[in-house]
Amino acid sequence: MLDEIIVPGSLSANLIDNGVVTVDQLKEALEVQKTSKQLIGSILVQLGYCTEEDIARTLAKKTGHKFVSIDEIGVNIAVANLITPEFAIRENILPLYEEDGVIYVAMKNPNDILVVDNLRMMTGHEICPVVAADMELAAAIENFANMNAGVQDYSDAEEAVEDTVENLDIDDKPAVQLVNQIINNAIKAGASDIHIEALEKYMRVRFRIDGVLQEILQNPIKMFSAVVSRVKVIGGMDIAERRIPQDGRATVKYEDRTLDIRIASMPTVFGEKIVMRLLERDSGQVATLKDLHFSKRQFDRFYRAINMPYGFLLVTGPTGSGKSTTLYACLAEISSIDKNTITLEDPVERRMPGINQCQMNNRAGMTFAAALRSVLRSDPDIVLVGEIRDAETAKIAIEAALTGHMVLSTLHTNDSAGAVTRLDEMGVEPFLTASSLVGVLAQRLVRKLCPKCKEEYEISRTEMKKIIPEFDIYGYEGDSFKLYKSGGCLTCNNTGYKGREAVFEFLTVTEEMKQLILDRATIAEVKELAIKQGMHTMKDEGLYKVMEGKTSLEELMRVIA
């Protein structure tokens, strides 16, 4: 009887022929199917006789198509976006990646010629169906649909800016919808920046996620002009001016969140490039010093410095290295009801209760230097200056520290030692720096390995020394070490990383350091003394996180080296 049910060439027959299941197991599954509407493959999986991957591999072999693991190869979002989520859900398919002009599409039914033809017409590419496990395909389609679901309409976002452009008839619906979708997806993906740019043959959209740019979308170049105009309207910019860079800003609401968007346009060969920086106005909870994951050896020194009654403390690092987050955490720690705390920011990135926050406005003459002079007449205890941009601001900030105030600020230098010489180069007299500076914190952000897909491997001491020549000085014992490297899965969008964490180095200004500052010592001399006095460098701290398995050696060298 069973032989009559098993049709030669059927999936059931192939499962038996390939040794995936036995005849008895199939017989049991067929008995279950009599009272169930499920497919035989699903029943076999539920009974534990095979896995979904076994079914998918057998189906691929039966149909002559390639088997892929979506969890391993990931999904190229730019390729997936060639179709709509509705089409993906309806047909149970998802474009995964492009290779040599061919789009590889995971399909529940890889022999559906009609769907393949529709995909060919929709995308303009040749289509190659591939087979994946049902659960992986369903999860990938759901993730893709969620990214594009609930697109917030930002048609009224321009009302939030001061210089609103009026009476503009550019409400090109496709462009409006596309810009809404781009902003929506960026917020959901946790992107810090959106890059919209014209290449020779198409428009490209990239998101900066965890500090790295990722291509998200490609669209026909004919859409580019309308998209740029739409973004300019949102930012209150001049859509007729395309020859010079422009700046704009907007405030948007997404669900229960409010975000400020800083917009910059720049003329390029193929059209204006647009960059939008997303700034969370108020996430409800300010990070604490504990949330920054200082190592114990760094934290004690830093904590003592920020709790001094007066002095000048700098946080250094490039744009996007988390300086503002660190400063806000400092304010949350040291500000109290009995202290008058005032911040000067451009822009105010996060609202903090109980603190007087001032927004700079260069066009109105409200510069850091001008505002700082005014603040010193307002009886402050703690002053945060968003950035030391010029000698005037630096000198006023230092004078404030010398007159009994705690002044916190940021400076763009590569490391902590570089901040000392940078102040000298800006024209600040060494005796002022030596008298006021209590410490310099330098920091970078490294991406954390995705916990779901990171892969363990072993590396020898010899190999470590090739990558980090000074490895022996860090005191790690043994001839080989277990580290982790990035993998790639749906959770991390196949990047191998999820989230970021800071690595720090804190330079304490001791009496010996003050003498070096007075002597106008070089960066190398300042750094040498700091290390001798117990400073752990960013590379040292980063290597510590590598050995703990938090990040990879490759990521550390990308950021620090």
Side-chain angles (χ1 to χ4, degrees):
M1 176 66 72
L2 187 61
D3 292 338
E4 296 174 4
I5 297 174
I6 301 176
V7 179
S10 66
L11 178 61
S12 299
N14 279 270
L15 287 170
I16 293 173
D17 292 342
N18 292 327
V20 177
V21 297
T22 66
V23 173
D24 288 341
Q25 289 170 342
L26 180 61
K27 184 177 181 179
E28 184 181 344
L30 289 169
E31 285 298 320
V32 173
Q33 194 181 40
K34 290 178 181 179
T35 58
S36 170
K37 295 181 179 179
Q38 292 177 287
L39 296 173
I40 195 69
S42 299
I43 297 172
L44 287 167
V45 172
Q46 289 175 10
L47 291 172
Y49 294 144
C50 63
T51 65
E52 287 199 347
E53 183 174 322
D54 292 331
I55 300 290
R57 287 185 181 277
T58 303
L59 178 61
K61 190 172 182 179
K62 171 181 178 293
T63 59
H65 292 97
K66 180 182 179 181
F67 168 82
V68 298
S69 170
I70 301 178
D71 280 349
E72 290 182 6
I73 68 170
V75 179
N76 185 322
I77 299 301
V79 175
N81 274 318
L82 292 172
I83 67 170
T84 64
E86 292 77 15
F87 188 76
I89 294 169
R90 185 174 69 248
E91 303 297 346
N92 227 323
I93 65 166
L94 189 65
L96 302 179
Y97 62 96
E98 180 268 336
E99 193 174 276
D100 297 329
V102 177
I103 302 293
Y104 288 78
V105 183
M107 299 179 63
K108 177 84 170 180
N109 180 7
N111 287 330
D112 194 330
I113 299 173
L114 183 60
V115 171
V116 172
D117 286 341
N118 286 341
L119 283 169
R120 190 179 292 114
M121 288 186 291
M122 290 168 62
T123 65
H125 290 267
E126 282 301 313
I127 303 298
C128 179
V130 295
V131 178
D134 285 353
M135 190 176 294
E136 289 187 12
L137 178 57
I141 291 173
E142 182 181 3
N143 186 52
F144 171 61
N146 287 340
M147 281 191 64
N148 291 278
V151 176
Q152 187 82 21
D153 184 0
Y154 301 116
S155 297
D156 298 324
E158 62 269 24
E159 294 177 5
V161 298
E162 296 177 7
D163 302 322
T164 302
V165 179
E166 299 178 355
N167 302 320
L168 289 169
D169 184 20
I170 66 156
D171 194 23
D172 184 335
K173 277 297 179 184
V176 170
Q177 291 172 359
L178 182 56
V179 171
N180 291 345
Q181 181 183 6
I182 289 170
I183 296 175
N184 175 78
N185 287 351
I187 295 171
K188 293 184 73 172
S192 61
D193 300 87
I194 302 170
H195 290 242
I196 303 175
E197 50 208 345
L199 302 183
E200 187 174 3
K201 296 181 179 179
Y202 62 92
M203 179 188 89
R204 178 174 68 182
V205 178
R206 294 185 290 172
F207 293 168
R208 189 175 293 280
I209 301 173
D210 292 338
V212 177
L213 281 173
Q214 300 176 22
E215 186 174 284
I216 299 298
L217 186 67
Q218 291 182 6
N219 269 85
I221 192 65
K222 64 182 180 182
M223 289 285 295
F224 182 72
S225 179
V227 166
V228 169
S229 295
R230 180 62 195 160
V231 173
K232 282 186 169 183
V233 167
I234 291 175
M237 302 153 74
D238 184 355
I239 66 169
E241 180 56 76
R242 300 173 182 172
R243 299 164 298 174
I244 59 174
Q246 293 188 62
D247 294 315
R249 61 182 57 196
T251 299
V252 301
K253 291 186 180 293
Y254 176 78
E255 296 177 348
D256 59 345
R257 299 158 64 186
T258 301
L259 295 98
D260 291 319
I261 302 182
R262 284 190 285 177
I263 305 171
S265 70
M266 176 176 289
T268 69
V269 174
F270 298 113
E272 292 176 281
K273 176 183 173 70
I274 296 286
V275 177
M276 294 187 277
R277 167 150 287 193
L278 306 178
L279 300 168
E280 191 93 22
R281 175 175 287 185
D282 184 7
S283 63
Q285 191 71 33
V286 174
T288 65
L289 289 179
K290 184 179 179 181
D291 297 328
L292 301 183
H293 300 288
F294 276 92
S295 65
K296 179 70 166 60
R297 50 192 179 181
Q298 295 274 25
F299 180 80
D300 292 341
R301 290 179 168 217
F302 184 65
Y303 188 79
R304 284 196 297 269
I306 64 173
N307 279 283
M308 294 183 71
Y310 58 86
F312 185 38
L313 188 139
L314 284 170
V315 178
T316 75
T319 301
S321 60
K323 299 188 297 296
S324 296
T325 299
T326 298
L327 287 176
Y328 281 127
C330 291
L331 290 184
E333 179 68 32
I334 65 178
S335 183
S336 60
I337 193 69
D338 61 344
K339 292 179 181 177
N340 180 22
T341 302
I342 302 176
T343 73
L344 310 177
E345 305 176 63
D346 186 22
V348 174
E349 295 185 16
R350 194 181 298 264
R351 311 293 170 89
M352 294 187 68
I355 290 177
N356 304 287
Q357 295 176 273
C358 305
Q359 170 75 51
M360 298 301 97
N361 188 332
N362 290 334
R363 286 184 295 180
M366 184 74 160
T367 62
F368 280 119
L372 190 51
R373 286 195 190 91
S374 176
V375 163
L376 295 180
R377 296 192 292 270
S378 302
D379 187 32
D381 295 293
I382 302 168
V383 181
L384 185 152
V385 183
E387 184 182 345
I388 301 296
R389 294 179 177 173
D390 51 53
E392 185 181 12
T393 306
K395 288 178 181 177
I396 299 171
I398 286 176
E399 287 169 5
L402 290 172
T403 53
H405 307 93
M406 189 64 192
V407 181
L408 311 175
S409 191
T410 69
L411 191 66
H412 288 280
T413 61
N414 289 327
D415 56 18
S416 55
V420 174
T421 57
R422 177 74 181 122
L423 290 172
D424 188 18
E425 292 167 0
M426 293 176 76
V428 178
E429 292 295 332
F431 75 89
L432 290 175
T433 301
S435 301
S436 61
L437 194 64
V438 295
V440 182
L441 182 77
Q443 66 182 74
R444 295 288 191 281
L445 293 177
V446 294
R447 293 180 294 169
K448 294 190 294 184
L449 286 164
C450 175
K452 288 192 175 182
C453 64
K454 66 180 184 179
E455 302 170 358
E456 185 181 288
Y457 71 102
E458 196 167 280
I459 186 171
S460 68
R461 177 176 290 274
T462 303
E463 290 174 307
M464 285 291 285
K465 288 176 67 176
K466 286 180 181 177
I467 301 171
I468 303 179
E470 64 269 43
F471 179 71
D472 281 343
I473 72 172
Y474 292 122
Y476 294 102
E477 297 180 355
D479 295 325
S480 64
F481 308 91
K482 286 185 178 180
L483 303 182
Y484 290 86
K485 60 183 178 181
S486 60
C489 65
L490 285 176
T491 301
C492 60
N493 196 25
N494 206 39
T495 63
Y497 298 92
K498 191 75 173 176
R500 287 189 291 177
E501 192 166 295
V503 290
F504 303 99
E505 66 176 34
F506 184 63
L507 181 153
T508 304
V509 179
T510 62
E511 291 302 319
E512 294 91 339
M513 187 63 71
K514 289 180 180 180
Q515 188 58 53
L516 279 189
I517 294 172
L518 290 171
D519 294 340
R520 286 191 161 99
T522 64
I523 293 177
E525 291 170 332
V526 171
K527 187 171 185 175
E528 182 181 0
L529 177 61
I531 293 173
K532 183 180 178 182
Q533 294 182 336
M535 182 185 81
H536 296 273
T537 66
M538 284 185 286
K539 184 179 285 188
D540 182 6
E541 290 294 296
L543 185 59
Y544 185 68
K545 293 181 186 293
V546 169
M547 303 300 277
E548 284 187 313
K550 290 184 176 180
T551 189
S552 69
L553 192 58
E554 293 77 14
E555 173 66 5
L556 173 64
M557 301 312 292
R558 181 187 72 85
V559 174
I560 304 297

